[in-house]
Each structure stands twice: as C-alpha cells, then as structure tokens.
Amino acid sequence: MASAQKPLSFFENVSASFNTAAQFTEHPKGLLEQIKACNSVYAFQFPVRTEKGYDVISGWRAEHSHHKLPVKGGIRYAEEVNEDEVMALAALMTYKCALVDVPFGGAKGGIKINPKKYTVEQLEHITRRYTAELIRKNFIGPGIDVPAPDYGTGPREMAWIADTYSAFNPSQIDSLACVTGKPVSQGGIRGRKEATGRGLFYGLREACSQEEDMKRQGLTKGLEGKKIIVQGLGNVGYYAAKFCCEGGAILVGLVEYDGAIYNPKGLDLEAVVQHRKEKGTILNFPGATSIAKREQGLEQECDILIPAALENQITEQNAGKIKAKIIAEGANGPTTAAADSILLERKVMVIPDMYLNAGGVTVSYFEWLKNLSHVRFGRMGKRFEQTAFEKMLRAVETATGKAFTDTERTSIAHGADEIDLVNSGLEETMVNAYNEIRAIWRGNTKTPDLRTAAYINAINKIAVSYMELGIFP
Ligand code: GLU
C-alpha cells in the first residue's frame, strides 16, 4: 500500500501490485523474488554534436526477466525517462508477454531526450549510436533482446536500428529480427502500427460482452452506445478511439497534455485530428467544451475512460473523482497502486494495462516470426484457399441451382492476406487472454480485481517456466 507522505516510484508501484497478487499463489518466496526482480540494467551516456556544441545523452536498456529468450520491449524517447521507469516498464513487459503467450521475457529501453528538440539527422545519429551501445554489450539481437517502438519512437527509428544492427552483423541471415515495428518495406508487418489500439478494442469488447460484469457496473452488455473518453491522441489513443467508435462506442471526450475537449453528444475523431493539425491543439474544437486543466478532462461523465498516454495519470488525488465505471488502460502504468485501492472501493472496473495494451507486442511477435521465416504470412496459402473456396461455392451453386452474387463471391472466396492473418491472430489472442484472466477473477471470490487476476496468471505462467528450467524444483 502506498504511503500518503512519499508516493511510490513506478517500479515500486508495479512491485506493490505484484505482491498483492503473489499472496494468492503458493510459489516459494525465492521464486517470487526472482520473478519480481529486474535482472539487468545497462545505463550509458554518449555525446551528440548539436549546433551549439555537444549534448551528453543518457540511455538505458533494462532486461527484467530471462525466463524466455529473447527479451522484448519498446524504446522510449522522452525527457522524463529515468532508470526506475525503464525497469518498471520492462517488468510490465514480462507479465504482458506471459499473459498473451508471447514466448519472450520482458525488457524496455529509453533515451532521455525531447525528440522535438533535435533535427531528423541528429535523431538518426542518436538512434544509431544507442544501437551501437546495445550491440557492444550484447543487449540486442534476434535471440537476445528485440526492441520495438514506444512513446516518442516509431517505424522510422526501428528502421535505423535494424540497419545499424545489420551493418554490424553482415553475415547474420536473421538480422532483421533484431527489432520489430519496422516499416513494411524494411521487414515490418502489416497491422503492427494499429495493433495496440486494435488489441485494446478486442479486449474491451470482450469485457463488455460479459452481461454479469456489465450489470455489476450498472451498464448494459456490449460496447455499442457506451460513452468513452480517451486520454492521449498518439498511436495507441488514436487507434483505440477509432476502432472503439467503429465498434459502436461514442467518443465524448479527448484529453491531451494541454487540455481536454468534451461533447456528450459525441466527437468526430477525424475532424478533431484535422483541427489539431491546423491549430496545433485539440482545444477550441467547434461544438465541444474546452477544458484547460487536463486532469478535469479525466473526470468528465462517461462509461469508459481510456488512459492511453503516460504513467501515473490516475492517482490517489483524482481516483475519487473519476466518473467512469470502467477504466480501460491503453498506456503502461496509468493507475498507481494507491489509486487502484480507491477505485476498487468505488467498484470501478479496471482492465489492466499489461493485458489490454498487449496487442502491440503480440503483433511484434508475428513480425519476429515473419523475419525468421523470411516469408510474408499468406504468401503460400492465399491462392490455394481462394481456389478451394471457389470450388465449394460452385458445388453449392450446382446443388441448390442458385447463383451467388459477385459481392458474396468475393467476400466468401477470399484467401487470407497478411493483414487478415495478423488481425485474426490478434483477436484470438486478446479474447483468449481475457477469458483466462476473468476465470481467475470470478473463479476465486477473494481475487479483488482484474489486475490482481492478471498478475496471478502471469506469475503462474512464469513460475512454470522457471520450474521447467529446473531452477526452482
Ligand atoms: N512498446 C510496446 C509495449 O509497451 C510494444 C513492445 C513490443 O512490441 O515489443 O507493449
């Protein structure tokens, strides 16, 4: 439990949630301590030449757990990056991968910079130098540690990392698998960019499909018609909002770093994006109320609040004021352990980050598999499937004497493309993982919430790995 005087650090918050869940397991103390600990942290500094001279840049890579290899997790570029944060995010990656059966340990990297303050050339230099540092200490490689995008990074940075790694390892045939989230032309996979937001939608839709759980929240079954507020209009927030709206939810509020907008009748997401492009802010969007204090944006009336920005957004200060009945965590660590206790008391249902935002790493896993197999998903089977479906359609037509329309024919006799397979694998993963966690939550009346259930599930899976390695009999 957090003390009122000194707020817990991010890593301490993750450990606090871990400890709560560990009490529901029967694993030996030593094993639990090993699972919780962050195995290795590499911290380093390097210079970058600027117009004014040199900046000394701080970088980190934390590998939280090596129970499975490679370890996996994004790289963050932000001024707030620090060692504790990188360790906490690496720990969340370990639990996240276990929950969605992605066979990796957890890791995270960070560079303490405001990317907006550097030119593209300088960012490229920083990224390539950071990669060289990781290579030097064996903190990157297809079977060792595989970074990906996170806050402040994207496909462009991943392409620089892959290119640098390949240049240092010219004879390594699998070198492209050293990083995921690459542009499709550089060995990336279709659907990776949208994956976290899409995965959030699949997870939230699954949670809302449980009538009993919705009733407990005073809500009806299904995502359709539910009012949502999204914090953060970055990659995760934008796609989460887009897919949830396509699934029937109504976007009533958006919260950004400089304030919020709210309209109980609904906001047009694309129009807001266009407005921000023109004005540099979401504020003063026509027809919506502008709220200068972003904290107040989170406290507006809605059914579901989706924090999809940074950590520590829902704390003991504002947890009592949140009106949402469901919090769907798109960001990593948006709710502190102290806020969790308040939300639990207030019967707010929290769908935890390490499950709900696992869509990104799930599709990263598919990208890694694609890179190792050196073939695009769907390439071998698509035409074969299509021909088989067409034969079936013709057989049905002969048997019934009725012809299918062209639209029916194209939609039924369609062989799977890469994007179809990626989305189907993602949906299957998110739905299964939710039901596993929910079974723990509802199966044992003492499990207080979904976060604890998720930790229990992750701990159990990691414990099996350690036991099968023979480290803990
Ligand atoms: N940075 C993302 C996360 O926090 C993705 C990690 C990955 O794809 O490895 O889950």
Side-chain angles (χ1 to χ4, degrees):
M1 181 65 59
S3 89
Q5 281 79 32
K6 188 175 173 285
L8 298 181
S9 76
F10 191 4
F11 189 72
E12 286 167 342
N13 263 300
V14 173
S15 301
S17 305
F18 180 100
N19 292 340
T20 306
Q23 294 164 14
F24 292 88
T25 72
E26 280 166 10
H27 303 296
K29 191 165 176 285
L31 172 54
L32 291 167
E33 288 303 314
Q34 172 55 50
I35 296 174
K36 189 168 61 173
C38 186
N39 286 358
S40 356
V41 186
Y42 177 33
F44 47 96
Q45 266 89 37
F46 56 85
V48 60
R49 201 198 302 256
T50 65
E51 298 75 30
K52 293 187 205 114
Y54 285 93
D55 279 356
V56 179
I57 309 280
S58 297
W60 289 267
R61 183 75 183 166
E63 294 180 351
H64 173 260
S65 176
H66 297 104
H67 70 289
K68 281 193 197 283
L69 287 172
V71 293
K72 185 91 189 73
I75 299 177
R76 177 172 286 204
Y77 288 3
E79 244 161 8
E80 301 76 28
V81 165
N82 60 66
E83 191 160 312
D84 179 89
E85 181 190 64
V86 175
M87 283 164 61
L89 292 166
L92 287 175
M93 285 309 302
T94 296
Y95 310 132
K96 193 184 300 195
C97 289
L99 286 177
V100 287
D101 292 328
V102 164
F104 298 148
K108 201 73 159 206
I111 306 187
K112 192 177 171 55
I113 50 164
N114 176 354
K116 293 202 180 88
K117 286 200 187 144
Y118 292 93
T119 63
V120 173
E121 289 71 26
Q122 286 164 343
L123 284 173
E124 177 173 352
H125 177 80
I126 292 169
T127 307
R128 288 184 183 277
R129 178 64 193 261
Y130 176 86
T131 311
E133 293 295 333
L134 297 186
I135 296 170
R136 211 205 286 264
K137 290 282 193 269
N138 226 7
F139 266 68
I140 185 170
I144 300 169
D145 186 339
V146 182
D150 199 85
Y151 189 84
T153 58
R156 180 183 68 179
E157 286 73 18
M158 302 307 118
W160 290 332
I161 293 173
D163 186 58
T164 310
Y165 184 84
S166 304
F168 275 88
N169 297 277
S171 61
Q172 207 185 106
I173 191 166
D174 291 331
S175 60
L176 275 183
C178 75
V179 65
T180 60
K182 302 177 291 289
V184 175
S185 66
Q186 305 295 314
I189 196 164
R190 288 163 187 82
R192 173 62 185 86
K193 202 168 152 223
E194 313 90 285
T196 312
R198 188 183 276 281
L200 184 146
F201 159 65
Y202 289 144
L204 184 56
R205 188 191 60 187
E206 189 60 18
C208 292
S209 73
Q210 302 288 343
E211 194 160 12
E212 180 196 334
D213 299 345
M214 290 304 105
K215 234 182 180 171
R216 209 177 312 109
Q217 300 311 118
L219 297 169
T220 52
K221 181 180 159 179
L223 184 58
E224 223 162 60
K226 298 227 170 6
K227 296 190 168 179
I228 62 170
I229 294 182
V230 177
Q231 182 197 24
L233 209 43
N235 180 47
V236 180
Y238 168 74
Y239 283 110
K242 177 178 153 67
F243 293 124
C244 287
C245 289
E246 284 171 12
I250 303 161
L251 178 69
V252 292
L254 274 168
V255 188
E256 272 277 72
Y257 62 95
D258 57 347
I261 51 171
Y262 185 78
N263 184 347
K265 291 203 189 85
L267 298 161
D268 176 343
L269 178 66
E270 295 310 325
V272 176
V273 170
Q274 189 54 35
H275 172 88
R276 185 180 63 167
K277 218 182 216 168
E278 284 160 18
K279 311 271 192 276
T281 173
I282 59 168
L283 297 179
N284 306 318
F285 179 69
T289 313
S290 290
I291 303 161
K293 282 195 177 149
R294 73 184 155 128
E295 306 82 69
Q296 286 175 5
L298 303 175
E299 296 160 16
Q300 301 302 307
E301 199 72 54
C302 68
D303 299 314
I304 304 170
L305 173 64
I306 306 180
L310 284 171
E311 60 263 22
N312 287 340
Q313 300 302 305
I314 304 169
T315 63
E316 42 191 334
Q317 268 73 50
N318 62 358
K321 299 185 206 150
I322 303 284
K323 297 200 184 64
K325 294 160 194 93
I326 299 175
I327 296 179
E329 296 183 335
N332 288 310
T335 312
T336 64
D340 252 344
S341 311
I342 299 170
L343 294 170
L344 185 62
E345 225 163 83
R346 296 188 51 226
K347 299 193 169 37
V348 178
M349 178 176 168
V350 180
I351 312 176
D353 51 359
M354 54 169 152
Y355 157 67
L356 201 58
N357 71 25
V361 76
T362 301
V363 176
S364 275
Y365 170 44
F366 301 157
E367 180 175 334
W368 182 78
L369 291 174
K370 174 186 183 180
N371 295 150
L372 295 183
S373 59
H374 299 268
V375 65
R376 167 171 49 82
F377 289 112
R379 178 164 175 184
M380 305 299 284
K382 180 182 158 81
R383 194 160 290 266
F384 181 83
E385 275 173 17
Q386 212 156 292
T387 314
F389 293 149
E390 264 159 19
K391 277 187 196 153
M392 260 191 287
L393 286 181
R394 275 199 295 276
V396 174
E397 282 175 335
T398 316
T400 60
K402 260 175 76 184
F404 288 100
T405 64
D406 283 351
T407 330
E408 282 168 341
R409 191 170 287 281
T410 9
S411 93
I412 301 170
H414 165 77
D417 282 313
E418 182 172 81
I419 187 71
D420 301 318
L421 294 166
V422 164
N423 290 344
S424 132
L426 175 60
E427 183 171 3
E428 172 74 2
T429 304
M430 294 306 293
V431 169
N432 285 348
Y434 185 75
N435 287 300
E436 274 184 24
I437 305 169
R438 185 179 180 274
I440 296 176
W441 178 40
R442 303 315 300 162
N444 178 348
T445 45
K446 292 203 182 93
T447 311
D449 55 8
L450 274 165
R451 191 185 317 278
T452 310
Y455 268 99
I456 294 172
N457 201 22
I459 292 171
N460 286 341
K461 290 185 185 191
I462 301 163
V464 169
S465 268
Y466 274 113
M467 288 188 272
E468 283 169 357
L469 277 171
I471 297 175
F472 288 89

